[in-house]
Amino acid sequence: EVQLVESGGGLVQPGRSLRLSCAASGFTFDDYAMHWVRQAPGKGLEWVSGISWNSGSIGYADSVKGRFTISRDNAKNSLYLQMNSLRAEDTALYYCAKAVTMIVRASIDYWGQGTLVTVSS
Amino acid sequence: EIVLTQSPGTLSLSPGERATLSCRASQSVSSSYLAWYQQKPGQAPRLLIYGASSRATGIPDRFSGSGSGTDFTLTISRLEPEDFAVYYCQQYGSSPVTFGQGTKLEIK
């Protein structure tokens, strides 16, 4: 059974940093691209970032480019999102998600339950 | 960036009726790299359709997707009570990946 378990969310002040982690199990992690998708309270889905199976291809939404960094450790079956210079508008539930194939340009077939990030003073 | 506009914003129908949801892209979606997701309150999204018209594993055949270029449609042939949810389209053919704003399908 595919499991994606996010951690690292919490309350953080504007301008500070936070690192999200996602522990993956139930599939061969290094065969698939991975994504971070967020959802602000009561709002729709927003793609944040994606990374290919070997970290060779990475993409970011314009809203986070230059502030967020996605990475993965295939040896640890883990996905990360380093979030710097956080803003109030980054407040959201952050989902870790698995792509259907090894490239970023693919749909998403599994999602975690999300970790909540709240940016507020 | 490709902007996806979904319509209507809210669709009110009764069980047994047919639902037609639209997703229009601001520019052509390459290779029909268009997916549809269903999200129920308090749950993560679920993949329904990928490649514009291919059903994901375990998705009932009352769900179908069609379209190409800039116009895509999700059709639910006969609504079941569990189909009332929010539906999102997503394009993954161009970077950045983008989602539509969603269509809420509610019980009439």
Side-chain angles (χ1 to χ4, degrees):
Chain A
E1 179 193 3
V2 172
Q3 288 198 351
L4 301 169
V5 180
E6 303 93 338
S7 60
L11 175 63
V12 61
Q13 294 179 326
R16 303 298 290 266
S17 298
L18 208 57
R19 189 193 196 209
L20 304 184
S21 299
C22 172
S25 61
F27 64 102
T28 305
F29 184 71
D30 54 10
D31 277 351
Y32 296 93
M34 298 293 294
H35 297 267
W36 289 100
V37 177
R38 69 185 181 184
Q39 188 166 34
K43 302 297 184 183
L45 301 172
E46 181 186 15
W47 180 78
V48 173
S49 182
I51 185 168
S52 64
W53 67 283
N54 64 351
S55 305
S57 177
I58 287 175
Y60 297 97
D62 290 344
S63 58
V64 307
K65 198 173 294 183
R67 299 189 299 123
F68 289 10
T69 302
I70 191 172
S71 62
R72 64 189 295 162
D73 185 336
N74 287 346
K76 295 183 178 179
N77 289 349
S78 294
L79 176 71
Y80 306 100
L81 186 67
Q82 178 66 43
M83 304 186 295
N84 298 333
S85 303
L86 282 162
R87 306 167 180 168
E89 53 265 36
D90 295 319
T91 294
L93 185 65
Y94 284 73
Y95 290 106
C96 167
K98 170 188 167 293
V100 300
T101 185
M102 58 176 56
I103 62 173
V104 174
R105 289 173 56 182
S107 55
I108 293 170
D109 58 355
Y110 288 95
W111 303 67
Q113 287 305 304
T115 187
L116 182 62
V117 173
T118 303
V119 184
S120 175
S121 54
Chain B
E1 159 176 328
I2 295 180
V3 176
L4 299 178
T5 302
Q6 294 186 238
S7 61
T10 302
L11 184 58
S12 300
L13 293 170
S14 300
E17 290 192 293
R18 180 186 186 90
T20 303
L21 286 67
S22 173
C23 177
R24 179 161 290 178
S26 60
Q27 48 189 289
S28 184
V29 176
S30 62
S31 304
S32 294
Y33 285 165
L34 192 287
W36 290 93
Y37 300 85
Q38 176 194 69
Q39 188 180 33
K40 297 180 180 178
Q43 297 184 15
R46 177 174 71 145
L47 177 65
L48 300 175
I49 301 288
Y50 64 93
S53 60
S54 298
R55 265 189 305 278
T57 302
I59 301 303
D61 60 7
R62 64 179 181 273
F63 290 91
S64 63
S66 63
S68 63
T70 60
D71 289 294
F72 298 88
T73 300
L74 174 70
T75 301
I76 311 172
S77 60
R78 188 176 172 85
L79 286 166
E80 298 287 341
E82 62 266 28
D83 298 337
F84 292 91
V86 180
Y87 292 83
Y88 296 94
C89 58
Q90 175 211 27
Q91 71 78 24
Y92 49 92
S94 301
S95 186
V97 171
T98 50
F99 286 91
Q101 83 282 14
T103 289
K104 182 179 181 180
L105 179 56
E106 65 176 24
I107 299 177
K108 187 174 181 179

